Amino acid sequence: MYAQSCGMRPRTITSNNFQRKICNRRFRSVKLLAAVSSDSTLAPADYTTLGTTDVRVPVMGVGAWSWGDRSGYWGYGREYGQEESRAAYKALIQSGLTFIDTAEVYGYGKSEEFLGEFMREQATKSPGSPAPIIATKFAPLPWRFTSASVVEAAKASLARLGLSSMGLYMQHWPGFGPQYFFNDAYLEGLADCRQRGLCQAVGVSNFSTRRLKQAVKLLAARGVPLASNQVQYSLLYRAPETNGVLEACREAGVTLVAYSPLSQGLLTGKYSAGSTKPNGPRQLVYSDSRLREVEPVLGAVKAVAEARGKTMAQVALNWCICKGTLPIPGAKNERQLTEIAGALGWRLDEAEVAELDAVSSRVPAGLGFPAENF
């Protein structure tokens, strides 16, 4: 599975406002959609399975963090809106990129709601088109202490999505602080979800090597394989290679799903020191000092892109695939989705991967999500 082919800033969420915005909403009855589909326009080489499960997905997915985001991080409502997200969804279905990652906290449920709406529209207007494989995540929030709370969170996500079962259900980050003592209960809850048919596979996110191994062992005792560990990974953040996470995933047969594979846009070549920066909190990713630090990597990616007739984003994503990981770049609109779809159907050769490895290894890594070290 792993053979080479060649954060959001923390925000305080209280029980009351989260439950008001997410958990207690009412949703109209919808036609339940399949969570897994084998139809696609992709070549066989552009498919894989999640861990040792039988859930078949493209080797690259699409992240829906920005869809309906109300934190101000991505500029939703200022720079783009629901129609742009809808166009991205239509384009991903047409391209065959049918593995979509979301979470209950994205837009306080709005990302899942959008996705459910888009799927209903698809089922009505194009009944023969493939149904996407949906991955979503529950958060170990302060009022969640039991395995039953995970099951209830899964049911709430499924209601927003309009599904009876999802492809992959994950713990978004390991519990810390008071929630530290309930991590085993959360994993038991994931196993319950799988055994009740609420999902076809279960995974975790931001888990360290130690936590990953513990999760594999606990779930195995329930007869449930751990399918994935979703962590930050890119040419500008290769910590999973040195902290043991990537190797632990390989040894356990767990798919490493790479979030922020474009380093939140740094690897697209769109920004440079002294240039215009994104609005909002994301400006912190694009400091002039960081942009100067990463110039050698951007130069190497650009050189490969020009030689290949590809974009820098396509090269950076293909590198992740060649490393045996499954990247999930975000796409706010149809143009971005079309570009990332161009990362499939070809592979970097060994010399190109080695050159990118060498250059990126000399650049300081960016910031990681703190919870990944718990």
Side-chain angles (χ1 to χ4, degrees), residues 137-216:
K137 302 179 282 291
F138 78 90
L141 297 168
W143 57 91
R144 289 178 174 160
F145 309 106
T146 66
S147 59
S149 66
V150 178
V151 174
E152 291 307 308
K155 290 178 178 178
S157 284
L158 288 169
R160 287 186 289 274
L161 291 162
L163 295 173
S164 59
S165 180
M166 65 192 88
L168 177 67
Y169 195 45
M170 295 167 280
Q171 181 174 339
H172 205 153
W173 59 80
F176 56 94
Q179 307 314 110
Y180 173 89
F181 300 99
F182 306 105
N183 277 302
D184 285 356
Y186 300 145
L187 293 172
E188 293 284 358
L190 285 177
D192 291 342
C193 289
R194 174 64 188 90
Q195 293 176 341
R196 296 185 188 193
L198 299 177
C199 59
Q200 280 72 59
V202 300
V204 294
S205 183
N206 296 302
F207 269 40
S208 65
T209 301
R210 177 179 63 84
R211 287 207 171 277
L212 177 72
K213 292 179 178 180
Q214 291 173 339
V216 168

Side-chain angles (χ1 to χ4, degrees), residues 206 231-243 245 256 258-264 266-267 290 294 297 319-320 360-361 363-373:
N206 296 302
V231 297
Q232 184 180 173
Y233 183 70
S234 73
L235 271 165
L236 294 177
Y237 189 82
R238 295 172 62 185
E241 296 179 15
T242 56
N243 63 17
V245 168
L256 190 150
Y259 73 74
S260 294
L262 296 175
S263 196
Q264 298 195 21
L266 276 177
L267 286 163
R290 180 58 176 164
V294 304
V297 177
W319 176 87
C320 287
S360 65
S361 67
V363 173
L367 294 176
F369 185 46
E372 70 186 20
N373 298 313

Side-chain angles (χ1 to χ4, degrees), residues 213-225:
K213 292 179 178 180
Q214 291 173 339
V216 168
K217 183 177 181 180
L218 187 149
L219 290 169
R222 291 284 304 273
V224 176

Side-chain angles (χ1 to χ4, degrees), residues 115-149:
L115 189 46
E117 181 178 332
F118 300 159
M119 287 190 290
R120 291 192 293 272
E121 293 172 352
Q122 171 201 341
T124 300
K125 297 177 181 178
S126 304
S129 61
I133 301 96
I134 303 300
T136 193
K137 302 179 282 291
F138 78 90
L141 297 168
W143 57 91
R144 289 178 174 160
F145 309 106
T146 66
S147 59
S149 66

